[in-house]
Amino acid sequence: MSRRVVRQSKFRHVFGQAAKADQTYEDIRVSKVTWDSAFCAVNPKFLAIIVEAGGGGAFIVLPLAKTGRVDKNHPLVTGHTGPVLDIDWCPHNDNVIASASDDTTVMVWQIPDYTPVRNITEPVITLEGHSKRVGILSWHPTARNVLLSAGGDNVIIIWNVGTGEVLLSLDDLHPDVIHSVCWNSNGSLLATTCKDKTLRIVDPRKGRVVAERFAAHEGMRPMRAVFTRLGHIFTTGFTRMSQRELGLWDPNNFEEPVALQEMDTSNGVLLPFYDPDSSIVYLCGKGDSSIRYFEITEEPPFVHYLNTFSSKEPQRGMGFMPKRGLDVSKCEIARFYKLHERKCEPIVMTVPRKSDLFQDDLYPDTPGPEPALEADEWLSGQDAEPVLISLKDGYVPPKHRELRVTKSNILDVRPPAGPRRSQSASGAPLSQHTLETLLEEVKALRERVQAQDERITALENMLCELVDGTD
């Protein structure tokens, strides 16, 4: 008799467990907008969830420790005039979050460490450049203040949030709606999927497609793509018969897939969450009640099924904690925040170990909160891998750090040196319409300053009267 050889892997016994009832976040009106984004973003300090809001779009931000029933009057982050479609925490500042909306704008917010008394309504900066709804956001993994947005206008814009400027505008690479965008580990390339069924590898600084594959999945429903640690592309999509499918591709040889597996028949788009430290990809389908996870290796069949975490309730969205926010003392290798209709439930993935010591094989050094590059260094052509930290002694999030925005002189239209930039930096004379717009902005700014002056004067007078009254 021949004995079956079991594949060796320390992740063969990963298992998931839902948090106890007192560790969930109750009474949250999760957004009902039809959009295939995660609706949830989490970091070691905060949990952010897109919620239902009358007269515009909003999301709620909760300190991670604030579990239990959420007060119905808990302040929201409001400011968008249309539904919020995507949110993303800055990887280099745990107090900064970006939101994208149906109202065509992207807003960047500073979240205080304390719970505010009123709604947060004033973003640090509003980024306006898309002509249709903005549904995808992704911060650069290694460069400070660099944010990518993709909209229904089929345009990808890369912003410098520190100045409010458009660094790059990729407006002629996608002929149809963009379904997903993902940076590689050092932020030199993008993997994009599009309604035209084409998977593309894009060099954003050169503004060109360096490799592409038509019909990586033959079905018409949306496809998703993420870069793996080895530079391969992991995709989820649908077959022509509407079966869900996963694929692994080598960008240097797009002719044949490295791996292609059919999964099941369901309408929900599979959202892939990839952990480069363990090379495990977790697949969460909207409307599913399970999380399936696979290990990606260099040995055939390359994508190895590990297990499925199943529950009774379907998920409306999912948040994925960065590695530095996990509890290493409990051998936690992933933590999800599953959105229900009215609550958010943490789900912890652990590798059982008998020892209480730090398991260095489970926790290699992982990206920390420090950027490796400044925005202008990245734009000039430099690349750098993420700055890594050890989790051996646990991770303590740094205290509140303010995002400083220094807007460049809006009347200075000299073209910057270097590769192609946005159209406004072309060096052409300003049009009458642009001058009128600038004039309106200056007038609006003056009115805001005057209103603030009046408020300060009224407060000063009130304090003077109180002082006089106590004498």
Side-chain angles (χ1 to χ4, degrees):
M1 284 177 64
S2 63
R3 292 178 59 193
R4 184 163 170 255
V5 178
V6 177
R7 186 179 69 89
Q8 290 295 311
S9 170
K10 53 181 170 273
F11 301 114
R12 268 181 48 233
H13 301 294
V14 173
F15 77 99
Q17 191 163 21
K20 294 188 172 120
D22 62 345
Q23 294 300 305
T24 62
Y25 306 82
E26 303 267 357
D27 267 6
I28 297 169
R29 295 170 57 218
V30 177
S31 173
K32 293 186 173 71
V33 173
T34 307
W35 191 255
D36 287 325
S37 73
F39 282 18
C40 179
V42 63
N43 70 20
K45 279 187 176 183
F46 299 107
L47 168 68
I49 300 167
I50 303 174
V51 294
E52 286 285 285
F59 59 97
I60 191 169
V61 176
L62 301 168
L64 273 194
K66 196 177 176 65
T67 53
R69 194 173 296 279
V70 176
D71 187 334
K72 68 177 188 298
N73 296 317
H74 190 284
L76 303 176
V77 182
T78 61
H80 287 289
T81 56
V84 176
L85 301 178
D86 198 13
I87 48 178
D88 196 24
W89 287 104
C90 176
H92 307 126
N93 187 335
D94 287 340
N95 293 79
V96 170
I97 188 169
S99 59
S101 169
D102 202 58
D103 66 10
T104 76
T105 67
V106 174
M107 294 182 177
V108 180
W109 309 84
Q110 182 93 39
I111 306 299
D113 283 338
Y114 59 88
T115 302
V117 181
R118 298 183 187 84
N119 286 352
I120 299 175
T121 58
E122 289 293 322
V124 178
I125 193 164
T126 301
L127 305 171
E128 297 174 309
H130 289 282
S131 59
K132 291 186 180 175
R133 62 163 58 171
V134 188
I136 297 171
L137 287 176
S138 184
W139 291 91
H140 193 284
T142 62
R144 190 194 309 272
N145 293 342
V146 175
L147 175 66
L148 176 150
S149 62
D153 50 8
N154 314 338
V155 175
I156 292 174
I157 299 179
I158 298 173
W159 310 84
N160 181 347
V161 172
T163 62
E165 291 176 303
V166 174
L167 295 178
L168 300 160
S169 182
L170 309 174
D171 46 18
D172 51 5
L173 301 182
H174 298 87
D176 214 326
V177 176
I178 300 163
H179 285 149
S180 73
V181 181
C182 174
W183 296 97
N184 66 350
S185 64
N186 66 5
S188 60
L189 295 172
L190 300 170
T192 71
T193 62
C194 179
K195 195 176 178 182
D196 69 351
K197 295 178 28 175
T198 302
L199 167 64
R200 293 175 175 85
I201 310 300
V202 175
D203 184 330
R205 288 169 297 195
K206 290 181 180 169
R208 64 186 180 86
V209 176
V210 294
E212 62 184 359
R213 162 73 197 214
F214 176 69
H217 299 282
E218 294 184 343
M220 287 303 298
R221 289 190 53 71
M223 184 166 49
R224 290 282 186 277
V226 291
F227 274 100
T228 71
R229 183 173 64 193
L230 297 172
H232 288 157
I233 312 291
F234 179 87
T235 58
T236 64
F238 293 79
T239 67
R240 198 173 289 156
M241 304 302 291
S242 291
Q243 278 207 298
R244 293 199 290 199
E245 192 175 46
L246 58 83
L248 188 67
W249 306 84
D250 180 353
N252 299 316
N253 179 18
F254 261 150
E255 290 302 311
E256 289 295 322
V258 177
L260 199 62
Q261 294 180 23
E262 285 186 12
M263 292 180 60
D264 58 10
T265 304
S266 175
N267 287 331
V269 174
L270 283 168
L271 304 179
F273 296 94
Y274 177 71
D275 172 23
D277 295 346
S278 61
S279 204
I280 295 177
V281 64
Y282 302 85
L283 302 184
C284 309
K286 272 202 163 184
D288 287 9
S289 54
S290 62
I291 301 171
R292 268 168 284 205
Y293 38 107
F294 299 79
E295 185 178 359
I296 300 173
T297 70
E298 296 178 63
E299 299 89 38
F302 306 105
V303 180
H304 305 269
Y305 171 75
L306 291 174
N307 210 337
T308 299
F309 168 81
S310 295
S311 57
K312 292 176 184 172
E313 298 288 324
Q315 53 229 17
R316 298 278 294 275
M318 196 68 80
F320 186 51
M321 175 67 80
K323 210 53 168 284
R324 56 197 170 89
L326 302 181
D327 186 345
V328 297
S329 67
K330 294 178 180 169
C331 294
E332 190 179 348
I333 63 161
R335 193 189 311 152
F336 291 91
Y337 288 77
K338 173 182 171 177
L339 300 187
H340 298 244
E341 198 168 332
R342 299 279 304 191
K343 73 172 182 179
C344 175
E345 174 187 45
I347 296 168
V348 173
M349 301 285 181
T350 52
V351 176
R353 292 282 169 95
K354 290 178 181 174
S355 170
D356 291 334
L357 298 174
F358 177 73
Q359 307 292 315
D360 51 8
D361 63 323
L362 295 182
Y363 301 105
D365 289 355
T366 196
E370 289 303 317
L373 294 171
E374 297 299 327
D376 53 353
E377 291 175 327
W378 176 77
L379 189 64
S380 69
Q382 291 186 45
D383 289 321
E385 292 299 321
V387 178
L388 303 180
I389 58 169
S390 169
L391 298 178
K392 185 163 187 177
D393 301 315
Y395 171 76
V396 180
K399 288 217 169 85
H400 179 93
R401 293 193 294 183
E402 195 164 341
L403 169 64
R404 300 189 185 281
V405 175
T406 311
K407 289 197 176 180
S408 57
N409 181 355
I410 55 174
L411 296 175
D412 182 1
V413 292
R414 289 171 297 178
R420 174 176 172 255
R421 303 293 190 275
S422 59
Q423 293 160 351
S424 61
S426 63
L430 286 174
S431 68
Q432 181 71 20
H433 173 71
T434 306
L435 287 169
E436 287 171 1
T437 305
L438 290 173
L439 185 59
E440 288 300 316
E441 284 184 11
V442 171
K443 284 180 180 175
L445 184 61
R446 186 188 294 281
E447 285 171 13
R448 283 206 295 273
V449 170
Q450 284 173 344
Q452 292 285 6
D453 279 348
E454 287 168 12
R455 278 190 213 150
I456 292 167
T457 304
L459 183 61
E460 194 176 13
N461 291 340
M462 186 177 74
L463 289 169
C464 287
E465 287 171 14
L466 288 170
V467 170
D468 293 342
T470 55
D471 290 344

